[in-house]
């Protein structure tokens, strides 16, 4: 088991997938580093991170089984 | 005692309601929604917002449709929160929100907000606020598909918040909110304040309190539903531009100010010592930090 990462909107397009499982990511900053080196275009891309359906603005420890989502700026309506 | 609201059982603001509709929202659907309310004779005013897909022309290409996706459970939860808050704040009889998922062609309806109240004012104000919140808080994304099948990702225009020096008329509202948010209300003068306004309505404020050898950033507040939009940040940076003196401030949320370049200090001007005590009694002894820049 690892961390489930969901991608949405433009981010899903850049990553060419809507989800993947990542292991050995102990916190949000590490996760961002892993993702940024995998998908270089995301480095300059603005997004929010939600952990288990809640948006956090600061680094946080991740646990196995957490659902992380990378959310580009919302554009509903 | 406030009036007991007569909320029909099926519309009680508690359980999560279905918001998403596959494809466009049809005029028949909207007409039916209106018709269903004729039995609710305690309603005196409906306000309806309909979002329609525009055929924008971008670099000679025309938008033919928008395809919507969402982070489903989080979006539903967020719609639920928006609903609950509107019911708490306004005297509403009922409220319905519908948003499209999937493809909606130019000219078709993708958002339907339907707010009903006894009198028009609650319906008008609530409806506008709900629409703004849907645009800023709900994880939904629109992909604009052009006639040649290429696409780009839609961006929402930001809230048109204007920042200005406060006028005397703002002071009552500032006082009311500052008390509510348990902020420093000592020596309030509109001349020290900068306000953030949305369509003339005061939604944020903050001031420079002038001391002999420094200025203090104080009494920063943003109305709950507009937080997390960078409004507080803007107010603070405008205040910073208005002084060349050293700045100090007392806060229970140091992180917010650290992001703006402030740092914690142990050098506490004596004028702020009483403030720390007041802070403690007002904020239930939350830890107070002194920051400077």
């Amino acid at each position: 088991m690892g961390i489930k990462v969901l991608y949405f909107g433009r981010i899903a397009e850049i990553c060419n997938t809507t989800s993947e499982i990542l292991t050995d990511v102990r916190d949000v900053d590490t996760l961002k580093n892993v993702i940024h080196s995998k998908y270089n275009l995301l480095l300059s891309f603005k997004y929010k991170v939600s952990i288990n359906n809640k948006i956090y603005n600061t680094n946080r420890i991740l646990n196995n089984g957490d659902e992380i989502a990378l959310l580009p700026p919302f554009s509903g309506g | 005692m406030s009036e007991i609201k007569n909320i029909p059982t099926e519309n009680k603001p508690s359980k999560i309601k279905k918001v998403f509709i596959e494809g466009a929202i049809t005029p028949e659907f909207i007409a039916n929604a209106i018709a269903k309310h004729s039995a609710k004779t305690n309603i005196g005013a409906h306000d309806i917002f309909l979002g329609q897909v525009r055929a924008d022309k971008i670099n000679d290409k025309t938008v033919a449709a928008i395809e919507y996706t969402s982070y489903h459970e989080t979006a539903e939860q967020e719609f639920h929160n928006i609903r609950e808050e509107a019911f708490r704040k306004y005297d509403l009889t009922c409220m319905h929100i519908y948003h499209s998922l999937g493809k909606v062609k130019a000219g078709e309806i993708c958002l339907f907000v339907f707010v009903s109240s006894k009198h028009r004012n609650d319906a008008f104000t609530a409806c506008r606020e709900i629409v703004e919140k849907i645009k800023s808080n709900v994880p939904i994304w629109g992909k604009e598909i052009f006639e040649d099948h290429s696409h780009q990702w839609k961006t929402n225009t930001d809230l048109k918040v204007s920042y200005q020096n406060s006028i005397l008329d703002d002071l009552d509202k500032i006082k009311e909110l500052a008390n509510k948010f348990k902020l420093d209300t000592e020596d309030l003068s509109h001349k020290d304040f900068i306000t953030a306004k949305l369509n003339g309505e005061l939604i944020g404020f903050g001031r420079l309190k002038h001391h002999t050898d420094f200025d203090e950033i104080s009494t920063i507040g943003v109305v709950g539903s507009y937080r997390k939009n960078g409004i507080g940040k803007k107010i603070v940076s405008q205040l910073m531009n208005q002084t060349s003196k050293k700045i100090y401030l007392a806060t229970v949320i140091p992180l917010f100010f650290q992001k703006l370049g402030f740092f914690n200090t142990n050098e506490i001007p004596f004028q702020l010592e009483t403030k720390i005590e007041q802070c403690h009694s007002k904020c239930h002894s939350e830890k107070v930090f002194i920051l400077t820049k």
Side-chain angles (χ1 to χ4, degrees):
Chain A
M1 199 155 74
I3 309 284
K4 185 175 186 187
V5 190
L6 305 178
Y7 303 115
F8 290 96
R10 171 104 172 89
I11 294 186
E13 205 171 71
I14 291 170
C15 302
N16 203 18
T17 180
T18 53
S19 75
E20 65 183 317
I21 307 280
L22 294 176
T23 47
D24 294 330
V25 278
R26 64 173 190 284
D27 55 28
V28 173
D29 285 352
T30 319
L31 177 91
K32 282 185 178 174
N33 286 336
V34 170
I35 291 173
H36 291 170
S37 57
K38 207 167 165 183
Y39 312 104
N40 292 328
L41 276 175
L42 287 187
L43 251 173
S44 55
F45 199 82
K46 196 180 148 196
Y47 61 85
K48 289 179 177 170
V49 175
S50 87
I51 308 171
N52 301 327
N53 298 311
K54 201 169 180 310
I55 292 172
Y56 294 96
N57 296 316
T58 51
N59 191 22
R60 291 180 81 88
I61 301 287
L62 299 177
N63 299 303
N64 261 342
D66 279 349
E67 181 179 286
I68 313 300
L70 266 58
L71 312 170
F74 306 154
S75 55
Chain B
M1 266 295 282
S2 63
E3 202 177 338
I4 295 167
K5 290 181 203 167
N6 184 5
I7 300 165
T9 353
E10 74 269 29
N11 287 315
K12 263 188 189 160
S14 52
K15 66 171 196 293
I16 293 201
K17 295 188 58 160
K18 190 179 170 300
V19 170
F20 287 117
I21 287 185
E22 198 53 44
I25 300 164
T26 63
E28 291 74 29
F29 183 90
I30 295 161
N32 278 332
I34 298 169
K36 279 181 198 158
H37 287 75
S38 61
K40 297 176 185 167
T41 46
N42 54 340
I43 294 172
H46 299 300
D47 195 20
I48 289 177
F49 176 86
L50 299 175
Q52 175 169 302
V53 174
R54 270 192 321 269
D56 275 352
K57 225 181 201 148
I58 301 156
N59 302 332
D60 285 339
K61 294 200 284 192
T62 307
V63 172
I66 294 182
E67 191 177 307
Y68 291 98
T69 50
S70 79
Y71 186 11
H72 206 87
E73 304 87 67
T74 312
E76 279 188 330
Q77 184 58 51
E78 206 50 58
F79 276 122
H80 181 73
N81 297 346
I82 292 170
R83 223 181 122 68
E84 296 265 289
E85 195 187 350
F87 269 107
R88 259 197 316 273
K89 281 174 72 175
Y90 302 102
D91 191 4
L92 304 180
T93 317
C94 59
M95 175 203 313
H96 305 269
I97 303 173
Y98 297 99
H99 197 294
S100 294
L101 278 184
K103 220 180 246 183
V104 181
K105 286 189 232 135
E108 292 182 329
I109 303 295
C110 56
L111 172 63
F112 172 27
V113 178
F114 187 177
V115 183
S116 311
S117 58
K118 212 169 268 176
H119 302 286
R120 67 185 179 285
N121 198 44
D122 283 287
F124 277 141
T125 323
C127 188
R128 162 141 213 149
E129 196 177 305
I130 291 162
V131 172
E132 293 298 348
K133 271 195 231 158
I134 291 171
K135 299 219 171 214
S136 68
N137 297 0
V138 185
I140 298 175
W141 299 276
K143 187 162 99 175
E144 292 169 326
I145 301 168
F146 296 107
E147 283 163 345
D148 65 359
H149 302 295
S150 62
H151 72 265
Q152 71 166 29
W153 290 89
K154 175 175 182 269
T155 50
N156 278 352
T157 47
D158 289 336
L159 286 178
K160 293 242 168 20
V161 178
S162 63
Y163 298 87
Q164 51 213 221
N165 291 325
S166 178
I167 51 168
L168 186 58
D169 285 352
D170 299 329
L171 204 57
D172 283 344
K173 185 77 183 172
I174 291 176
K175 263 185 204 160
E176 179 200 322
L177 292 169
N179 277 319
K180 192 173 149 198
F181 301 156
K182 299 180 181 156
L183 303 172
D184 177 1
T185 51
E186 190 186 62
D187 300 330
L188 291 184
S189 159
H190 72 274
K191 290 181 188 134
D192 299 333
F193 276 90
I194 281 188
T195 59
K197 288 183 181 175
L198 180 67
N199 307 306
E201 189 201 348
L202 188 127
I203 58 166
F205 52 85
R207 67 165 161 167
L208 277 180
K209 226 173 150 181
H210 305 290
H211 299 277
T212 338
D213 40 9
F214 69 95
D215 278 338
E216 177 196 349
I217 286 185
S218 163
T219 326
I220 306 280
V222 174
V223 173
S225 43
Y226 298 105
R227 284 177 197 162
K228 292 191 176 161
N229 282 307
I231 294 169
K233 219 183 272 178
K234 263 272 183 40
I235 291 170
V236 172
S237 46
Q238 296 228 358
L239 290 171
M240 282 158 63
N241 287 338
Q242 293 201 343
T243 179
S244 50
K245 286 191 193 164
K246 197 163 174 63
I247 304 175
Y248 283 91
L249 60 92
T251 183
V252 293
I253 46 163
L255 193 67
F256 173 80
F257 292 99
Q258 284 160 4
K259 282 184 186 159
L260 291 161
F262 287 86
F263 51 89
N264 294 48
T265 178
N266 293 321
E267 258 174 60
I268 300 170
F270 71 92
Q271 296 96 325
L272 289 189
E273 279 170 7
T274 44
K275 178 140 180 178
I276 297 176
E277 283 159 33
Q278 284 166 1
C279 253
H280 274 144
S281 60
K282 273 189 186 176
C283 307
H284 311 292
S285 306
E286 268 185 82
K287 191 159 166 47
V288 180
F289 298 85
I290 301 295
L291 283 80
T292 187
K293 191 177 168 115

